[in-house]
Amino acid sequence: MARTITLLFACAVSCATTAFAQPAGAFDASKLVKLGDEVKYGSYVVRKIGEGAYQINDPGDQSTRGGGWGVDMYLVRGTGKALLIDLGNNYIAGYEKDAVKPRPNAAEELRAVVNRLIGRLPLEIAVTHMHPDHDGMAGAFAGGTVPMWAGEGEDLNALKTQHNLDPSIFRTFKPGSRSFDLGGGHVVETLPVRGHSNGGTVYLLKRDSLVFSGDALGSGFGQAFGTVERLRQVAEDSQKLVDYIKANYAPYERYVLRVYTGHSWQNAYGGFLHPNKASIDVGYLDWRFIQDVSACANGILQAKWLVEGSGIKYMGNMLYTDAWGSAAGRAIMVSGIGTIILPLDLAYQAAGLPVPPELQRK
Ligand SMILES: [Zn+2]
């Protein structure tokens, strides 16, 4: 399969029109030696985050919207196979709703990075969810032999509506009952976390202490949930994720977990640490983040923000978070470094309480 990608890449280079004749030169991975080493290449910053594990960061462009502000993909390698988790923004055709514009050689560029990092290993691709900033570069691998996977419940038709791609290029799997064995003990397990999407998948790589959570838990400054149903889903599934890790990881295996989210630039805004304050210096999140998001979602269902000292706090609107379109004018609930954004009347409904008159919508 790696050979097919190489062939595709070779064709893409030689068949390119003169206007897009030159990809940005060869991607040089030789500087990726220690954890944290990074190489900039075209639209991406590629960072080493483990032995055979890489973050392919798109630093984004603030003239865009949504995921256009920056998103992350991750590549993990075993001894027999490699897995690319997520496909970032669509720089091949652009994505109008987020004001993301096409960029020259976008498909070639991503394939150059991936091919260089995987060498001769066959590749599979799995997404955390089918939102346009996470499945955007699917076109770079369409028509080849690379299997592409999404969690059952995700809307595969989004490929058509978002990127004008044939939905049949993806297959679905049931999160929780499928893992990706990459060889050499690098087994990527999957667990469902719905709420942000219907088939959202969290990927766990125990051997390397890595978790890839996409947008399922947010990326630090909080995920917005617009209905009681979606809040219930994230509460239930994040609790199962916490229970699973507690049952299957020894304490020190949990404590060293590094949690890589869909939008790492948001990591710096964590719970009580972020309201209207300067951001903090972090590059990934941790086991505490998973527990805090779950505690926050479940705490809202138990009306804990109304109980002084419960650990769940209603922050009201916050200057920075309100810069985010979907968060505008919504309540922000925090528990430690876990944050959930939702309209306050929904919090009352979710907790089974009457909505106070001043919050009732006209
Ligand atoms: Zn996203």
Side-chain angles (χ1 to χ4, degrees):
M1 273 178 268
R3 212 171 130 247
T4 314
I5 301 167
T6 313
L7 287 174
L8 274 172
F9 177 46
C11 177
V13 173
S14 59
C15 307
T17 63
T18 45
F20 302 104
Q22 295 301 320
F27 167 64
D28 178 12
S30 67
K31 290 192 178 69
L32 300 172
V33 181
K34 313 185 296 298
L35 293 190
D37 283 351
E38 58 185 46
V39 173
K40 196 174 178 325
Y41 184 74
S43 295
Y44 305 110
V45 178
V46 182
R47 190 172 291 126
K48 179 166 173 158
I49 59 169
E51 279 320 307
Y54 304 89
Q55 179 179 43
I56 303 172
N57 168 254
D58 163 12
D61 166 4
Q62 295 203 355
S63 72
T64 63
R65 287 187 289 272
W69 278 33
V71 67
D72 297 271
M73 299 173 243
Y74 299 94
L75 184 87
V76 287
R77 225 169 43 201
T79 54
K81 203 192 278 185
L83 182 70
L84 177 63
I85 298 172
D86 276 350
L87 283 160
N89 282 308
N90 186 348
Y91 290 128
I92 302 171
Y95 182 67
E96 225 174 279
K97 278 189 186 155
D98 284 348
V100 170
K101 291 180 199 66
R103 297 180 180 184
N105 300 313
E108 292 85 340
E109 200 174 87
L110 179 60
R111 286 196 298 258
V113 169
V114 171
N115 283 332
R116 179 69 184 81
L117 294 177
I118 68 176
R120 303 178 78 86
L121 292 177
L123 176 70
E124 296 199 32
I125 296 172
V127 297
T128 56
H129 61 302
M130 299 294 280
H131 285 178
D133 49 335
H134 298 266
D135 58 20
M137 293 298 287
F141 300 92
T145 54
V146 179
M148 295 199 263
W149 299 95
E152 221 172 81
E154 287 301 303
D155 176 18
L156 294 193
N157 206 41
L159 283 165
K160 184 82 195 156
T161 52
Q162 293 163 357
H163 310 302
N164 201 25
L165 291 170
D166 179 355
S168 72
I169 62 175
F170 264 73
R171 304 180 218 174
T172 58
F173 67 95
K174 196 169 163 47
S177 57
R178 189 202 198 287
S179 57
F180 296 85
D181 188 348
L182 308 180
H186 303 264
V187 178
V188 180
E189 295 173 288
T190 65
L191 278 185
V193 179
R194 299 159 303 155
H196 182 62
S197 67
N198 289 327
T201 306
V202 172
Y203 297 87
L204 301 103
L205 182 48
K206 188 176 179 182
R207 188 187 184 284
D208 304 274
S209 308
L210 294 169
V211 176
F212 304 102
S213 57
D215 294 352
L217 305 170
S219 285
F221 78 25
Q223 188 55 274
F225 296 93
T227 66
V228 171
E229 170 70 9
R230 286 179 174 277
L231 179 70
R232 286 219 174 96
Q233 288 174 339
V234 73
E236 187 184 326
D237 290 356
S238 64
Q239 185 61 53
K240 285 183 185 159
L241 176 64
V242 168
D243 294 345
Y244 179 84
I245 292 173
K246 272 193 180 158
N248 292 282
Y249 287 61
Y252 269 75
E253 291 175 327
R254 311 195 286 261
Y255 307 156
V256 297
L257 282 179
R258 281 173 292 141
V259 178
Y260 285 91
T261 63
H263 302 274
S264 61
W265 66 270
Q266 298 174 13
N267 289 170
Y269 301 84
F272 281 115
L273 296 167
H274 73 80
N276 299 331
K277 292 179 189 164
S279 61
I280 53 167
D281 180 34
V282 289
Y284 51 84
L285 296 166
D286 58 12
W287 167 229
R288 180 179 53 156
F289 168 73
I290 298 175
Q291 294 172 87
D292 280 345
V293 170
S294 182
C296 190
N298 284 285
I300 297 167
L301 295 175
Q302 295 156 16
K304 280 190 178 172
W305 81 94
L306 296 168
V307 182
E308 187 65 34
S310 71
I312 311 281
K313 203 165 166 74
Y314 165 56
M315 302 300 297
N317 301 328
M318 290 188 291
L319 195 63
Y320 182 76
T321 306
D322 281 356
W324 200 242
S326 60
R330 295 184 183 190
I332 285 117
M333 303 281 189
V334 294
S335 170
I337 60 166
T339 307
I340 299 271
I341 303 166
L342 83 173
L344 191 52
D345 60 335
L346 271 190
Y348 277 88
Q349 284 175 37
L353 297 173
V355 178
E358 68 276 15
L359 294 177
Q360 280 176 19
R361 300 179 196 205
K362 305 284 176 288

